[in-house]
Amino acid sequence: VQLQASGGGLVQAGDSLRLSCIASGRTFGWYNVGWFRQAPGKEREFVAAISWNGGGTDYADSVKGRFTISRDNAKNTMYLQMNSLKPEDTAVYYCAARSSSRSSLRYDYHYWGQGTQVTVSS
């Protein structure tokens, strides 16, 4: 499966953004998917994950209550709604997919999108 993320941009603290990730190549509904992010000089870290049917989600503690992950299998698309953004949310955001169970571990994911930059100014 191929993934393409979009929706990043430059916003102010407190603003909202919605990231999208569209999949192609294989049946999107077969995959558990997630969002990760990587800030300059830091390791890529888990943000959120959602099960193949949307029935289960996981979030990093740092985004819980502010970010919401969702998916629309009919549109082969997953989303990350980000509210109350903070400067520390600044990073390149990546979408990822795996064919096994939902996971928060980056090395469990086999397929990655190209990333979209999110910059939050204070």
Side-chain angles (χ1 to χ4, degrees), residues 14-75:
D15 285 350
S16 298
L17 270 179
R18 188 176 80 157
L19 305 183
S20 299
C21 178
I22 189 165
S24 61
R26 290 195 174 185
T27 303
F28 181 60
W30 292 351
Y31 297 91
N32 294 287
V33 294
W35 288 96
F36 290 75
R37 67 186 182 186
Q38 188 166 17
K42 294 189 176 181
E43 294 286 319
R44 191 170 300 187
E45 64 175 7
F46 170 74
V47 176
I50 187 167
S51 298
W52 66 274
N53 62 353
T57 56
D58 295 307
Y59 294 93
D61 288 344
S62 59
V63 307
K64 206 170 291 183
R66 299 188 298 122
F67 291 12
T68 302
I69 188 172
S70 61
R71 65 189 297 164
D72 185 340
N73 288 345
K75 295 182 178 180

Side-chain angles (χ1 to χ4, degrees), residues 3 32-39 41-49 58 60 92 94-113:
L3 304 171
N32 294 287
V33 294
W35 288 96
F36 290 75
R37 67 186 182 186
Q38 188 166 17
K42 294 189 176 181
E43 294 286 319
R44 191 170 300 187
E45 64 175 7
F46 170 74
V47 176
D58 295 307
V92 177
Y94 297 89
C95 52
R98 68 188 302 259
S99 54
S100 299
S101 57
R102 191 172 75 245
S103 174
S104 62
L105 302 177
R106 55 184 275 202
Y107 297 108
D108 283 345
Y109 286 81
H110 311 113
Y111 307 99
W112 291 85

